[in-house]
Amino acid sequence: MSDKKHIDRLFQEKFKGFESTPSPSVWENISKEIHPEKKRRKVIPIWWKIAGIAASLFLLFSLGSLFYNNDSNPVPVESIVSNPKSEQTNQEGLNQNNTNNFDDTNSDKTNNVNQELKQEGSSNPAEIFNPFVKNETGENSIVTTKKEHPSISKDNIQLLNEKTLAPKVGNAIVQTTLDFNSLKEKEKTSNKVEDNLDLKELNKIDSTKNSDIVIEDSKKQNAKDISQIETDQNGKSSLTDALATVNENEPKKEDDTEKNSKWSVSPNIAPVYFNTLGSGSSIHEQFNNNSKTGEVNMSYGVSASYTINKKISVRTGVHKVNLGYSTNNVVVYDNVQTTSSRNSLKNIDLNKNGQSLSFISAQGFNFAQVPSIISNLVSTSIDQELGFIEVPLELQYNISNNKLGISFIGGVSALILSDNNIYAVQEGRSTLLGEATNVNNTSYSANLGLGLDYKISKKVNLNLEPVFKYQLNTFNNTSGNFKPYFIGVYTGFSFKF
Amino acid sequence: MSLDQLIQKCKKNDAQAQSDLYKLYMGKLFALSLKYSRNYAEAEDNLQDAFVTIFKKIAQYQNKGAFEGWLKRIVINTALQCYRKKGVLDIVNEEDIEDVIIEVENDVVDIDFLLNVIQELPDRYRLVFNLYVLDGYSHKEIGQMLEISIGTSKSNLARARMILKNKVESYMASLNSQSL
């Protein structure tokens, strides 16, 4: 079949209806490109997590040390309450002037400054005027405010202010260590700075807003410095002010961030099971090998969570948590013959009931050799009940963000002791024996858990979070290998706003 | 489901519809892609790029004209873009060559062989031959698409035909010698 034809026709005829199948990988690639979000799995760098944990640990420990400081100086606590009250009237008077000129957020900020101004002013009615310090800081503040211009970015202004303020702070510290009087002078001058700013505020709303924040911060810093120096000198009236400033600044800072953020609050309740990993005892070494039964108690509280990004949120809160466990197989008997000075429970401060009793571990008793009067009492157990106020600081890392969300939870808790009782329980009757002496007032736990949340609506989630909390230093004098922990299944609703 | 419905769903980024559309046209479009490419792998890459463009731009398809034609244009454009990027500029001798008549035994010529000889053509010859002979573009259109003159297009086509004729003839000669 030979045929003469144009070359074009040959190809046209042959390629008519020509089809070919590409390999399946082509479609896979196409589908990956047009639906990238399904295939792409973002892997969070490990250092991110480590940094997060380190940061939360640091924050918690610094909070913890703050608590300790407060304990050693009970006086400031009262003054914190009394100070703001006394200033209330002054503050309002000033605020009225300001709020006329500023919008809400602005006046909030100026309030802060004014409040502090008043605080310090009122506590130091007679100040010695130091022209040197005044001059320097006064000049600085003028320079800064002059340089402030709407076109200059916030960052620049802050930088500027920090630079100018730094020497001031340094100066102040040197002076206070040299001469106690100069402390008051410094406070006076910081008033001056704010006076200057107040004037500027009336003219420049934007710029003062920025400088207020910085001044506020630096004031906080000053106040801390002052408080440190003064604690050494055993407290004067200005210490109370300084601490009040610190304490007032902290909640305000939170308020500021709350305004523009994705916060959620969740009340929750959890059954908590407390027990120990090792075989030791928190009560006495003779009970190291006794069997121990963990108790299921309740924990309840409120936590607040801040969403940093899609994957990570930070949360804290306050929980009341009760923990308890029983040491079984204890023989208790009345110590009739002698009022022995030997306390058979070394870590317990016994009350009247307890002092007349003796406690022996029945573990390893050979019952044949023991008088029947003792062997009959074997069913006694010693129950330790502890109550804590728990302040957790945890990072939550979301694995799945669907209707049913899954997340990992890691963090630390500060545990502040609130209840501390030891009971002897015999055939259902429990007798208060006293309290443990080896429980730290503040201790910490390392937390690890899994979070499940079911999104009921955009604003409301139902949470279920089994969390394991390993207690780090709850007891300071345990015997054997006593490693307490508790597990809670935290259930609650969280509300976003 | 009608083609219109399928297109509508694709416009809504429906994954199932996209998969169906792909299955419906992949055979024809891959064949098209093969003709314009140097080899199988390049053809697959081209098809992949073309379909990504198709799904991204399907919302712009106004239901005017044949849908298949729209798809083909995207595949061809994707192929051409690749060569425009590479700056394929053969040195062209603009001489007129007469029509090429070839004597063939129609049945024995294998499509895979024909595809192979097309793919072996220098890039510009292949593109012009495909566009003009197999996909019905005019020299004017080809000139615009490839950013060459009409004369160049014509000349390229003539060269392509000559090369193809020689290859087909030698192929058939070898077939005949085998059968003898």
Side-chain angles (χ1 to χ4, degrees), chain A residues 94 98 102 110 113-121 127 129 134 137-138 141-142 145 168 186-203 208 211-212 215 219:
Chain A
L94 257 166
N98 289 330
F102 306 135
T110 46
V113 175
N114 286 334
Q115 204 172 333
E116 284 161 20
L117 186 151
K118 280 289 141 192
Q119 258 171 354
E120 301 204 340
E127 282 114 346
F129 197 71
K134 189 246 166 183
T137 50
S141 67
I142 289 162
T145 37
K168 192 191 81 179
K186 198 197 67 66
E187 281 173 1
K188 165 89 180 179
T189 48
S190 50
N191 285 348
K192 289 282 170 195
V193 175
E194 277 157 5
D195 279 338
N196 278 338
L197 277 165
D198 273 354
L199 284 173
K200 296 284 170 188
E201 271 162 17
L202 294 167
N203 302 328
T208 30
S211 55
D212 276 352
I215 294 290
K219 280 216 57 63

mmCIF file of all heavy atoms in Angstrom, chain A residues 94 98 102 110 113-121 127 129 134 137-138 141-142 145 168 186-203 208 211-212 215 219:
data_model
loop_
_atom_site.group_PDB
_atom_site.id
_atom_site.type_symbol
_atom_site.label_atom_id
_atom_site.label_comp_id
_atom_site.label_asym_id
_atom_site.label_seq_id
_atom_site.Cartn_x
_atom_site.Cartn_y
_atom_site.Cartn_z
ATOM 1 N N LEU A 94 -7.351 65.157 88.740
ATOM 2 C CA LEU A 94 -6.426 65.307 87.615
ATOM 3 C C LEU A 94 -6.971 64.666 86.360
ATOM 4 O O LEU A 94 -6.864 65.206 85.270
ATOM 5 C CB LEU A 94 -5.090 64.676 87.970
ATOM 6 C CG LEU A 94 -4.000 65.663 88.347
ATOM 7 C CD1 LEU A 94 -2.847 64.941 88.995
ATOM 8 C CD2 LEU A 94 -3.536 66.430 87.110
ATOM 9 N N ASN A 98 -7.551 65.666 82.174
ATOM 10 C CA ASN A 98 -6.912 64.971 81.069
ATOM 11 C C ASN A 98 -7.909 64.343 80.134
ATOM 12 O O ASN A 98 -7.746 64.396 78.933
ATOM 13 C CB ASN A 98 -5.977 63.893 81.607
ATOM 14 C CG ASN A 98 -4.767 64.526 82.240
ATOM 15 O OD1 ASN A 98 -4.368 65.603 81.822
ATOM 16 N ND2 ASN A 98 -4.216 63.877 83.235
ATOM 17 N N PHE A 102 -8.084 63.779 75.844
ATOM 18 C CA PHE A 102 -7.595 62.540 75.237
ATOM 19 C C PHE A 102 -8.724 61.552 75.026
ATOM 20 O O PHE A 102 -9.756 61.622 75.663
ATOM 21 C CB PHE A 102 -6.550 61.874 76.129
ATOM 22 C CG PHE A 102 -5.429 62.789 76.501
ATOM 23 C CD1 PHE A 102 -4.986 62.846 77.803
ATOM 24 C CD2 PHE A 102 -4.850 63.604 75.539
ATOM 25 C CE1 PHE A 102 -3.970 63.689 78.137
ATOM 26 C CE2 PHE A 102 -3.824 64.431 75.873
ATOM 27 C CZ PHE A 102 -3.377 64.492 77.181
ATOM 28 N N THR A 110 -2.306 58.028 80.951
ATOM 29 C CA THR A 110 -1.937 59.189 81.738
ATOM 30 C C THR A 110 -2.356 58.974 83.179
ATOM 31 O O THR A 110 -1.693 59.441 84.086
ATOM 32 C CB THR A 110 -2.577 60.464 81.179
ATOM 33 O OG1 THR A 110 -3.931 60.201 80.919
ATOM 34 C CG2 THR A 110 -1.881 60.908 79.920
ATOM 35 N N VAL A 113 0.397 57.292 85.016
ATOM 36 C CA VAL A 113 1.490 58.184 85.353
ATOM 37 C C VAL A 113 1.087 59.100 86.489
ATOM 38 O O VAL A 113 1.799 59.262 87.471
ATOM 39 C CB VAL A 113 1.917 59.006 84.127
ATOM 40 C CG1 VAL A 113 2.961 60.012 84.523
ATOM 41 C CG2 VAL A 113 2.425 58.093 83.055
ATOM 42 N N ASN A 114 -0.094 59.655 86.381
ATOM 43 C CA ASN A 114 -0.539 60.567 87.409
ATOM 44 C C ASN A 114 -0.631 59.890 88.761
ATOM 45 O O ASN A 114 -0.252 60.438 89.784
ATOM 46 C CB ASN A 114 -1.918 61.132 87.047
ATOM 47 C CG ASN A 114 -1.794 62.145 85.940
ATOM 48 O OD1 ASN A 114 -0.733 62.749 85.805
ATOM 49 N ND2 ASN A 114 -2.836 62.319 85.149
ATOM 50 N N GLN A 115 -1.134 58.685 88.714
ATOM 51 C CA GLN A 115 -1.295 57.940 89.948
ATOM 52 C C GLN A 115 0.047 57.772 90.640
ATOM 53 O O GLN A 115 0.172 58.026 91.826
ATOM 54 C CB GLN A 115 -1.875 56.577 89.611
ATOM 55 C CG GLN A 115 -2.599 55.948 90.772
ATOM 56 C CD GLN A 115 -3.291 54.702 90.292
ATOM 57 O OE1 GLN A 115 -3.632 54.606 89.128
ATOM 58 N NE2 GLN A 115 -3.491 53.772 91.187
ATOM 59 N N GLU A 116 1.025 57.370 89.833
ATOM 60 C CA GLU A 116 2.334 57.159 90.409
ATOM 61 C C GLU A 116 2.910 58.454 90.920
ATOM 62 O O GLU A 116 3.486 58.527 91.989
ATOM 63 C CB GLU A 116 3.275 56.569 89.363
ATOM 64 C CG GLU A 116 2.999 55.113 89.133
ATOM 65 C CD GLU A 116 3.593 54.685 87.826
ATOM 66 O OE1 GLU A 116 4.481 55.381 87.332
ATOM 67 O OE2 GLU A 116 3.128 53.668 87.306
ATOM 68 N N LEU A 117 2.675 59.456 90.137
ATOM 69 C CA LEU A 117 3.156 60.771 90.502
ATOM 70 C C LEU A 117 2.618 61.139 91.880
ATOM 71 O O LEU A 117 3.339 61.559 92.770
ATOM 72 C CB LEU A 117 2.683 61.742 89.434
ATOM 73 C CG LEU A 117 3.129 63.186 89.452
ATOM 74 C CD1 LEU A 117 3.144 63.683 88.027
ATOM 75 C CD2 LEU A 117 2.240 64.043 90.293
ATOM 76 N N LYS A 118 1.342 60.935 92.026
ATOM 77 C CA LYS A 118 0.696 61.298 93.271
ATOM 78 C C LYS A 118 1.217 60.468 94.423
ATOM 79 O O LYS A 118 1.462 60.965 95.513
ATOM 80 C CB LYS A 118 -0.819 61.099 93.132
ATOM 81 C CG LYS A 118 -1.485 62.246 92.410
ATOM 82 C CD LYS A 118 -1.503 63.486 93.292
ATOM 83 C CE LYS A 118 -1.224 64.719 92.440
ATOM 84 N NZ LYS A 118 -0.941 65.889 93.259
ATOM 85 N N GLN A 119 1.359 59.200 94.139
ATOM 86 C CA GLN A 119 1.835 58.304 95.170
ATOM 87 C C GLN A 119 3.134 58.789 95.757
ATOM 88 O O GLN A 119 3.277 58.906 96.961
ATOM 89 C CB GLN A 119 2.097 56.927 94.568
ATOM 90 C CG GLN A 119 1.024 55.970 94.876
ATOM 91 C CD GLN A 119 1.226 54.724 94.074
ATOM 92 O OE1 GLN A 119 2.103 54.657 93.222
ATOM 93 N NE2 GLN A 119 0.430 53.753 94.342
ATOM 94 N N GLU A 120 4.016 59.053 94.867
ATOM 95 C CA GLU A 120 5.330 59.420 95.343
ATOM 96 C C GLU A 120 5.302 60.788 95.971
ATOM 97 O O GLU A 120 5.959 61.045 96.962
ATOM 98 C CB GLU A 120 6.330 59.360 94.198
ATOM 99 C CG GLU A 120 6.364 57.977 93.619
ATOM 100 C CD GLU A 120 7.657 57.717 92.939
ATOM 101 O OE1 GLU A 120 8.337 58.689 92.592
ATOM 102 O OE2 GLU A 120 7.985 56.547 92.785
ATOM 103 N N GLY A 121 4.531 61.644 95.379
ATOM 104 C CA GLY A 121 4.444 62.990 95.913
ATOM 105 C C GLY A 121 3.911 62.976 97.338
ATOM 106 O O GLY A 121 4.459 63.600 98.220
ATOM 107 N N GLU A 127 10.594 67.410 100.554
ATOM 108 C CA GLU A 127 11.744 66.879 99.846
ATOM 109 C C GLU A 127 12.880 67.877 99.826
ATOM 110 O O GLU A 127 12.665 69.085 99.817
ATOM 111 C CB GLU A 127 11.390 66.533 98.404
ATOM 112 C CG GLU A 127 10.653 65.247 98.268
ATOM 113 C CD GLU A 127 9.251 65.494 97.787
ATOM 114 O OE1 GLU A 127 8.818 66.645 97.834
ATOM 115 O OE2 GLU A 127 8.630 64.535 97.369
ATOM 116 N N PHE A 129 15.680 69.464 97.723
ATOM 117 C CA PHE A 129 15.818 69.703 96.302
ATOM 118 C C PHE A 129 17.276 69.563 95.888
ATOM 119 O O PHE A 129 18.161 70.184 96.470
ATOM 120 C CB PHE A 129 15.321 71.112 96.006
ATOM 121 C CG PHE A 129 15.033 71.323 94.569
ATOM 122 C CD1 PHE A 129 13.928 70.692 93.986
ATOM 123 C CD2 PHE A 129 15.832 72.136 93.795
ATOM 124 C CE1 PHE A 129 13.647 70.898 92.658
ATOM 125 C CE2 PHE A 129 15.553 72.329 92.475
ATOM 126 C CZ PHE A 129 14.455 71.718 91.901
ATOM 127 N N LYS A 134 18.104 67.253 89.250
ATOM 128 C CA LYS A 134 16.952 67.853 88.582
ATOM 129 C C LYS A 134 17.334 68.344 87.201
ATOM 130 O O LYS A 134 16.661 68.099 86.213
ATOM 131 C CB LYS A 134 16.425 69.003 89.432
ATOM 132 C CG LYS A 134 15.099 69.561 88.928
ATOM 133 C CD LYS A 134 15.256 70.984 88.441
ATOM 134 C CE LYS A 134 14.048 71.402 87.629
ATOM 135 N NZ LYS A 134 14.186 72.727 87.078
ATOM 136 N N THR A 137 18.053 65.372 84.628
ATOM 137 C CA THR A 137 16.872 64.658 84.144
ATOM 138 C C THR A 137 15.929 65.601 83.432
ATOM 139 O O THR A 137 15.325 65.249 82.436
ATOM 140 C CB THR A 137 16.133 63.979 85.307
ATOM 141 O OG1 THR A 137 15.944 64.953 86.321
ATOM 142 C CG2 THR A 137 16.918 62.806 85.839
ATOM 143 N N GLY A 138 15.832 66.787 83.977
ATOM 144 C CA GLY A 138 14.948 67.767 83.335
ATOM 145 C C GLY A 138 15.375 68.016 81.903
ATOM 146 O O GLY A 138 14.561 67.972 80.992
ATOM 147 N N SER A 141 14.601 65.088 79.582
ATOM 148 C CA SER A 141 13.207 64.914 79.188
ATOM 149 C C SER A 141 12.794 65.977 78.187
ATOM 150 O O SER A 141 12.013 65.721 77.283
ATOM 151 C CB SER A 141 12.293 64.942 80.405
ATOM 152 O OG SER A 141 12.313 66.243 80.952
ATOM 153 N N ILE A 142 13.338 67.142 78.337
ATOM 154 C CA ILE A 142 13.005 68.188 77.374
ATOM 155 C C ILE A 142 13.537 67.822 76.000
ATOM 156 O O ILE A 142 12.836 67.903 75.013
ATOM 157 C CB ILE A 142 13.566 69.553 77.822
ATOM 158 C CG1 ILE A 142 12.763 70.053 79.023
ATOM 159 C CG2 ILE A 142 13.481 70.569 76.689
ATOM 160 C CD1 ILE A 142 13.442 71.125 79.815
ATOM 161 N N THR A 145 11.349 65.133 74.441
ATOM 162 C CA THR A 145 10.038 65.564 73.973
ATOM 163 C C THR A 145 10.162 66.493 72.779
ATOM 164 O O THR A 145 9.325 66.480 71.902
ATOM 165 C CB THR A 145 9.244 66.253 75.099
ATOM 166 O OG1 THR A 145 10.164 67.003 75.876
ATOM 167 C CG2 THR A 145 8.535 65.224 75.949
ATOM 168 N N LYS A 168 20.093 58.361 84.036
ATOM 169 C CA LYS A 168 19.364 58.865 85.188
ATOM 170 C C LYS A 168 19.231 57.785 86.245
ATOM 171 O O LYS A 168 19.473 58.005 87.420
ATOM 172 C CB LYS A 168 17.988 59.367 84.759
ATOM 173 C CG LYS A 168 17.299 60.163 85.839
ATOM 174 C CD LYS A 168 15.851 60.421 85.510
ATOM 175 C CE LYS A 168 15.034 59.217 85.864
ATOM 176 N NZ LYS A 168 13.618 59.435 85.571
ATOM 177 N N LYS A 186 15.698 61.872 94.171
ATOM 178 C CA LYS A 186 15.493 61.227 92.876
ATOM 179 C C LYS A 186 14.003 61.093 92.574
ATOM 180 O O LYS A 186 13.545 61.333 91.480
ATOM 181 C CB LYS A 186 16.152 59.852 92.852
ATOM 182 C CG LYS A 186 16.351 59.343 91.457
ATOM 183 C CD LYS A 186 16.614 57.886 91.437
ATOM 184 C CE LYS A 186 15.410 57.114 91.866
ATOM 185 N NZ LYS A 186 14.304 57.245 90.936
ATOM 186 N N GLU A 187 13.296 60.719 93.584
ATOM 187 C CA GLU A 187 11.852 60.591 93.390
ATOM 188 C C GLU A 187 11.250 61.923 93.018
ATOM 189 O O GLU A 187 10.388 62.031 92.167
ATOM 190 C CB GLU A 187 11.211 60.048 94.657
ATOM 191 C CG GLU A 187 11.414 58.535 94.765
ATOM 192 C CD GLU A 187 10.936 58.008 96.091
ATOM 193 O OE1 GLU A 187 10.438 58.809 96.901
ATOM 194 O OE2 GLU A 187 11.075 56.803 96.290
ATOM 195 N N LYS A 188 11.741 62.886 93.693
ATOM 196 C CA LYS A 188 11.284 64.241 93.391
ATOM 197 C C LYS A 188 11.536 64.562 91.916
ATOM 198 O O LYS A 188 10.661 65.079 91.229
ATOM 199 C CB LYS A 188 12.044 65.210 94.294
ATOM 200 C CG LYS A 188 11.949 66.643 93.883
ATOM 201 C CD LYS A 188 10.747 67.327 94.507
ATOM 202 C CE LYS A 188 10.703 68.784 94.056
ATOM 203 N NZ LYS A 188 9.580 69.517 94.592
ATOM 204 N N THR A 189 12.742 64.240 91.472
ATOM 205 C CA THR A 189 13.064 64.580 90.095
ATOM 206 C C THR A 189 12.228 63.785 89.116
ATOM 207 O O THR A 189 11.867 64.293 88.075
ATOM 208 C CB THR A 189 14.551 64.351 89.787
ATOM 209 O OG1 THR A 189 14.906 63.074 90.262
ATOM 210 C CG2 THR A 189 15.412 65.408 90.411
ATOM 211 N N SER A 190 11.946 62.586 89.487
ATOM 212 C CA SER A 190 11.100 61.839 88.554
ATOM 213 C C SER A 190 9.718 62.460 88.500
ATOM 214 O O SER A 190 9.043 62.415 87.482
ATOM 215 C CB SER A 190 11.040 60.356 88.924
ATOM 216 O OG SER A 190 10.735 60.228 90.281
ATOM 217 N N ASN A 191 9.311 63.057 89.596
ATOM 218 C CA ASN A 191 8.071 63.829 89.537
ATOM 219 C C ASN A 191 8.199 64.958 88.533
ATOM 220 O O ASN A 191 7.295 65.249 87.774
ATOM 221 C CB ASN A 191 7.753 64.422 90.901
ATOM 222 C CG ASN A 191 7.239 63.351 91.843
ATOM 223 O OD1 ASN A 191 6.931 62.255 91.390
ATOM 224 N ND2 ASN A 191 7.151 63.670 93.117
ATOM 225 N N LYS A 192 9.337 65.569 88.594
ATOM 226 C CA LYS A 192 9.581 66.697 87.686
ATOM 227 C C LYS A 192 9.460 66.242 86.241
ATOM 228 O O LYS A 192 8.875 66.922 85.415
ATOM 229 C CB LYS A 192 10.977 67.271 87.934
ATOM 230 C CG LYS A 192 11.097 68.002 89.246
ATOM 231 C CD LYS A 192 10.491 69.390 89.166
ATOM 232 C CE LYS A 192 10.399 70.030 90.554
ATOM 233 N NZ LYS A 192 9.511 71.192 90.572
ATOM 234 N N VAL A 193 10.062 65.117 85.979
ATOM 235 C CA VAL A 193 10.004 64.600 84.623
ATOM 236 C C VAL A 193 8.564 64.464 84.189
ATOM 237 O O VAL A 193 8.177 64.865 83.110
ATOM 238 C CB VAL A 193 10.716 63.231 84.532
ATOM 239 C CG1 VAL A 193 10.527 62.648 83.138
ATOM 240 C CG2 VAL A 193 12.183 63.393 84.837
ATOM 241 N N GLU A 194 7.788 63.950 85.069
ATOM 242 C CA GLU A 194 6.395 63.729 84.710
ATOM 243 C C GLU A 194 5.629 65.042 84.608
ATOM 244 O O GLU A 194 4.723 65.184 83.811
ATOM 245 C CB GLU A 194 5.750 62.802 85.718
ATOM 246 C CG GLU A 194 6.050 61.369 85.374
ATOM 247 C CD GLU A 194 5.935 60.482 86.566
ATOM 248 O OE1 GLU A 194 5.528 60.971 87.626
ATOM 249 O OE2 GLU A 194 6.262 59.311 86.410
ATOM 250 N N ASP A 195 6.021 65.974 85.451
ATOM 251 C CA ASP A 195 5.406 67.300 85.321
ATOM 252 C C ASP A 195 5.621 67.838 83.922
ATOM 253 O O ASP A 195 4.704 68.328 83.272
ATOM 254 C CB ASP A 195 6.007 68.253 86.344
ATOM 255 C CG ASP A 195 5.337 68.051 87.706
ATOM 256 O OD1 ASP A 195 4.205 67.534 87.721
ATOM 257 O OD2 ASP A 195 5.951 68.394 88.709
ATOM 258 N N ASN A 196 6.874 67.734 83.484
ATOM 259 C CA ASN A 196 7.189 68.166 82.132
ATOM 260 C C ASN A 196 6.298 67.473 81.130
ATOM 261 O O ASN A 196 5.747 68.095 80.240
ATOM 262 C CB ASN A 196 8.647 67.840 81.791
ATOM 263 C CG ASN A 196 9.569 68.908 82.338
ATOM 264 O OD1 ASN A 196 9.107 70.028 82.576
ATOM 265 N ND2 ASN A 196 10.824 68.567 82.534
ATOM 266 N N LEU A 197 6.191 66.195 81.335
ATOM 267 C CA LEU A 197 5.429 65.400 80.383
ATOM 268 C C LEU A 197 3.969 65.806 80.404
ATOM 269 O O LEU A 197 3.314 65.870 79.384
ATOM 270 C CB LEU A 197 5.575 63.919 80.704
ATOM 271 C CG LEU A 197 6.847 63.320 80.133
ATOM 272 C CD1 LEU A 197 7.121 61.985 80.766
ATOM 273 C CD2 LEU A 197 6.698 63.174 78.636
ATOM 274 N N ASP A 198 3.472 66.057 81.594
ATOM 275 C CA ASP A 198 2.076 66.480 81.693
ATOM 276 C C ASP A 198 1.805 67.701 80.829
ATOM 277 O O ASP A 198 0.780 67.799 80.160
ATOM 278 C CB ASP A 198 1.725 66.777 83.134
ATOM 279 C CG ASP A 198 1.268 65.510 83.842
ATOM 280 O OD1 ASP A 198 1.142 64.470 83.150
ATOM 281 O OD2 ASP A 198 1.049 65.562 85.044
ATOM 282 N N LEU A 199 2.738 68.613 80.879
ATOM 283 C CA LEU A 199 2.586 69.806 80.050
ATOM 284 C C LEU A 199 2.551 69.431 78.583
ATOM 285 O O LEU A 199 1.715 69.910 77.820
ATOM 286 C CB LEU A 199 3.750 70.765 80.304
ATOM 287 C CG LEU A 199 3.667 71.548 81.618
ATOM 288 C CD1 LEU A 199 4.941 72.333 81.843
ATOM 289 C CD2 LEU A 199 2.457 72.470 81.630
ATOM 290 N N LYS A 200 3.479 68.565 78.214
ATOM 291 C CA LYS A 200 3.569 68.172 76.809
ATOM 292 C C LYS A 200 2.327 67.406 76.386
ATOM 293 O O LYS A 200 1.876 67.514 75.262
ATOM 294 C CB LYS A 200 4.803 67.288 76.579
ATOM 295 C CG LYS A 200 6.092 68.006 76.838
ATOM 296 C CD LYS A 200 6.429 68.951 75.708
ATOM 297 C CE LYS A 200 7.601 69.842 76.103
ATOM 298 N NZ LYS A 200 7.846 70.896 75.121
ATOM 299 N N GLU A 201 1.823 66.646 77.302
ATOM 300 C CA GLU A 201 0.645 65.845 76.985
ATOM 301 C C GLU A 201 -0.482 66.694 76.448
ATOM 302 O O GLU A 201 -1.222 66.306 75.558
ATOM 303 C CB GLU A 201 0.151 65.122 78.241
ATOM 304 C CG GLU A 201 0.796 63.765 78.427
ATOM 305 C CD GLU A 201 0.648 63.285 79.844
ATOM 306 O OE1 GLU A 201 -0.204 63.822 80.569
ATOM 307 O OE2 GLU A 201 1.398 62.381 80.214
ATOM 308 N N LEU A 202 -0.594 67.862 77.047
ATOM 309 C CA LEU A 202 -1.673 68.736 76.613
ATOM 310 C C LEU A 202 -1.490 69.156 75.165
ATOM 311 O O LEU A 202 -2.452 69.428 74.457
ATOM 312 C CB LEU A 202 -1.742 69.961 77.511
ATOM 313 C CG LEU A 202 -2.139 69.646 78.969
ATOM 314 C CD1 LEU A 202 -1.877 70.831 79.858
ATOM 315 C CD2 LEU A 202 -3.589 69.217 79.055
ATOM 316 N N ASN A 203 -0.254 69.194 74.723
ATOM 317 C CA ASN A 203 0.003 69.640 73.357
ATOM 318 C C ASN A 203 0.070 68.487 72.372
ATOM 319 O O ASN A 203 -0.510 68.547 71.304
ATOM 320 C CB ASN A 203 1.323 70.408 73.294
ATOM 321 C CG ASN A 203 1.291 71.592 74.219
ATOM 322 O OD1 ASN A 203 0.231 72.176 74.427
ATOM 323 N ND2 ASN A 203 2.433 71.924 74.788
ATOM 324 N N THR A 208 3.162 61.891 73.589
ATOM 325 C CA THR A 208 3.142 61.629 75.024
ATOM 326 C C THR A 208 2.719 60.213 75.302
ATOM 327 O O THR A 208 3.173 59.610 76.254
ATOM 328 C CB THR A 208 2.187 62.580 75.753
ATOM 329 O OG1 THR A 208 1.155 62.925 74.878
ATOM 330 C CG2 THR A 208 2.921 63.767 76.254
ATOM 331 N N SER A 211 5.857 58.281 75.217
ATOM 332 C CA SER A 211 6.806 58.570 76.279
ATOM 333 C C SER A 211 6.236 58.161 77.631
ATOM 334 O O SER A 211 6.981 57.770 78.516
ATOM 335 C CB SER A 211 7.174 60.045 76.278
ATOM 336 O OG SER A 211 6.011 60.825 76.362
ATOM 337 N N ASP A 212 4.925 58.213 77.751
ATOM 338 C CA ASP A 212 4.311 57.749 78.993
ATOM 339 C C ASP A 212 4.683 56.322 79.284
ATOM 340 O O ASP A 212 5.047 55.969 80.399
ATOM 341 C CB ASP A 212 2.795 57.855 78.913
ATOM 342 C CG ASP A 212 2.330 59.243 79.269
ATOM 343 O OD1 ASP A 212 3.180 60.042 79.717
ATOM 344 O OD2 ASP A 212 1.166 59.537 79.103
ATOM 345 N N ILE A 215 8.278 56.114 80.321
ATOM 346 C CA ILE A 215 8.461 56.663 81.652
ATOM 347 C C ILE A 215 7.926 55.690 82.685
ATOM 348 O O ILE A 215 8.561 55.408 83.692
ATOM 349 C CB ILE A 215 7.739 58.021 81.773
ATOM 350 C CG1 ILE A 215 8.375 59.072 80.875
ATOM 351 C CG2 ILE A 215 7.741 58.497 83.214
ATOM 352 C CD1 ILE A 215 9.730 59.531 81.302
ATOM 353 N N LYS A 219 10.053 53.981 85.473
ATOM 354 C CA LYS A 219 9.666 54.216 86.853
ATOM 355 C C LYS A 219 9.598 52.915 87.611
ATOM 356 O O LYS A 219 10.012 52.815 88.756
ATOM 357 C CB LYS A 219 8.302 54.919 86.933
ATOM 358 C CG LYS A 219 8.418 56.406 86.691
ATOM 359 C CD LYS A 219 7.467 57.199 87.544
ATOM 360 C CE LYS A 219 7.629 56.950 89.007
ATOM 361 N NZ LYS A 219 8.914 57.347 89.533
#
